[in-house]
Amino acid sequence: MARSRRVLVTGAARWWGADTARRLGQDPNVAEVVAVDSVKVEPDLGRVSSLQLELRHGVVGRLIRSVGIDTVIHTASVVDTDGGYNAAAHDSNLMGAINLLAACSGADSPVRRLVLKSSTHVYGSRHDLPTYVREDRQVDDRSPHRAVRDMIEVERLFFDFAQRQAGIEVVVLRFANTLHVTDPGPLARHLDLALVPLPIGYEPMIQLIQADDCVDALAAASRRGRGIYNIAAPRPLPLYELLKIGGKQGFPILPPAGPTLALTVLAGVGIKTLTPQLYDLLRWGRTVSTGQARRGMGFGAQRDTAGALESYLSQRRAQRLAPKSDLADSERQLRAFFQARAQAAGEDRESIGRGGISTEG
């Protein structure tokens, strides 16, 4: 089959965009993949063109039309980050989405499919949240967390755009808490602590998703499906089971309500993994239904929640045992130094043998 599809992937400086672009670059049905980000993009993406550019509609619009992009995968949005969700993240999420959609608009736009990376955080984490939330559940648009409200607004921007722009299909993927060895999310970082502080009096059910499964879902959404899909691993587990798998000890020392003080105290002692969204998750948990993704996209996670965590922990152990980059650089420099000395010594001996060095009395 001839290659025909041309794909633009945003957020390529992080693993979400980089790994998705690399995966699509291996697809025999994809003619071209362009990966972009506002900061420097990893150059080693295989058969992928990478560009550092801002999501300004004029610049991206020219790119889309000149390349003939028919599929756009937007992974640049950020929901849950260590260190807090600030004004820069707010502007990047909303203005980035607005500018990208403007670039895709118009009668001359070749774009026919838009895929948005979103989060199950849009459902919130509350005492009245049902088990296995379905995609038709009302989102938590009154969330106290600005990051959640912004992600809900970005989703609405995408669906409003689809209603105005005929012939474009929009796919929104709501991911559970993700695990990636080089860029773990706040939950993974929190579980990595030697002692894991927890809210007092709660035993939440937690659902995870491993990074490779996330990339598989994004690749599947580039081909088929329409609407909203929950993306999570099957068989969620109680938090204490996840701690047991990780060989960790949980310490219920945080107040059950009023997380602001607890977050401030923890940040003061250097623990910045506990975001407001994560605090709610550690109290109430959240599980989502994934049947719609199987039916609509033909996607199902390869690992369940326990398997996702075990895979992540195995990769983390391998990463910790690997030589540090500064040590590897030092060893390479030392070898180069010895080789240069040996070469210089050989040249000196050769020069002496030719009578090239003389002494004067």
Side-chain angles (χ1 to χ4, degrees):
M1 181 182 296
R3 292 172 174 169
S4 58
R5 300 168 53 224
R6 299 182 185 277
V7 184
L8 173 67
V9 181
T10 72
R14 296 183 67 202
W15 69 267
W16 286 97
D19 290 357
T20 301
R22 190 181 291 108
R23 176 74 58 83
L24 291 172
Q26 299 168 354
D27 188 332
N29 295 318
V30 174
E32 188 170 3
V33 181
V34 181
V36 301
D37 206 304
S38 59
V39 296
K40 187 176 181 180
V41 179
E42 178 186 344
D44 184 20
L45 294 178
R47 192 177 60 87
V48 175
S49 301
S50 59
L51 295 171
Q52 180 179 348
L53 55 83
E54 295 285 345
L55 288 183
R56 308 292 184 188
H57 68 271
V59 174
V60 180
R62 290 198 300 273
L63 173 64
I64 286 172
R65 286 157 179 79
S66 63
V67 175
I69 297 292
D70 57 83
T71 302
V72 175
I73 303 178
H74 185 47
T75 75
S77 295
V78 176
V79 181
D80 207 353
T81 59
D82 294 344
Y85 185 81
N86 55 28
H90 165 80
D91 290 342
S92 176
N93 277 353
L94 288 182
M95 294 310 301
I98 290 170
N99 283 324
L100 179 63
L101 293 174
C104 296
S105 66
D108 62 337
S109 172
V111 175
R112 292 296 173 263
R113 174 167 288 263
L114 286 169
V115 179
L116 172 66
K117 174 187 76 72
S118 186
S119 169
T120 56
H121 277 308
V122 299
Y123 299 120
S125 290
R126 302 188 307 273
H127 70 281
D128 59 347
L129 197 68
T131 303
Y132 293 109
V133 177
R134 299 192 317 179
E135 288 85 348
D136 56 2
R137 168 80 182 186
Q138 174 65 41
V139 294
D140 189 17
D141 50 10
R142 294 186 180 181
S143 171
H145 310 311
R146 188 182 192 182
V148 174
R149 298 195 305 272
D150 282 356
M151 196 68 248
I152 292 170
E153 180 61 24
V154 170
E155 285 192 6
R156 287 175 177 162
L157 287 171
F158 270 67
F159 285 120
D160 289 346
F161 174 80
Q163 290 182 347
R164 296 192 310 270
Q165 189 83 9
I168 290 186
E169 294 182 334
V170 168
V171 183
V172 172
L173 303 184
R174 292 174 176 168
F175 289 92
N177 288 81
T178 58
L179 300 172
H180 188 278
V181 64
T182 61
D183 185 18
L187 175 60
R189 291 185 188 278
H190 197 66
L191 297 180
D192 267 348
L193 296 174
L195 304 175
V196 183
L198 301 172
I200 298 169
Y202 295 89
E203 293 184 359
M205 294 291 289
I206 303 294
Q207 201 168 12
L208 302 173
I209 184 77
Q210 206 267 350
D212 288 344
D213 284 323
C214 296
V215 175
D216 286 345
L218 287 162
S222 75
R223 298 186 297 268
R224 58 183 291 196
R226 185 173 187 173
I228 301 169
Y229 300 102
N230 294 329
I231 306 297
R235 291 183 286 280
L237 291 173
L239 179 59
Y240 72 84
E241 289 285 351
L242 296 178
L243 291 171
K244 187 183 297 184
I245 291 172
K248 299 292 184 176
Q249 180 66 48
F251 284 84
I253 59 174
L254 304 177
T260 302
L261 178 59
L263 296 176
T264 302
V265 171
L266 289 177
V269 296
I271 299 176
K272 298 181 180 180
T273 57
L274 198 57
T275 66
Q277 299 95 283
L278 179 56
Y279 198 95
D280 284 351
L281 187 72
L282 293 177
R283 288 193 294 169
W284 306 113
R286 181 174 54 241
T287 60
V288 297
S289 171
T290 58
Q292 191 157 303
R294 287 193 299 273
R295 294 186 297 270
M297 295 197 308
F299 169 80
Q302 296 298 307
R303 300 170 181 82
D304 61 11
T305 292
L309 181 58
E310 288 165 353
S311 174
Y312 165 76
L313 292 172
S314 176
Q315 292 174 8
R316 289 284 281 166
R317 285 191 291 270
Q319 183 188 56
R320 287 166 178 157
L321 291 173
K324 299 296 184 183
S325 59
D326 55 349
L327 178 59
D329 288 342
S330 297
E331 290 175 345
R332 282 193 294 271
Q333 292 181 41
L334 187 60
R335 285 197 299 271
F337 172 72
F338 287 146
Q339 290 169 357
R341 282 176 57 86
Q343 182 179 357
E347 290 174 352
D348 286 346
R349 286 193 295 271
E350 184 179 352
S351 178
I352 292 173
R354 293 195 305 265
I357 297 178
S358 63
T359 59
E360 296 181 1

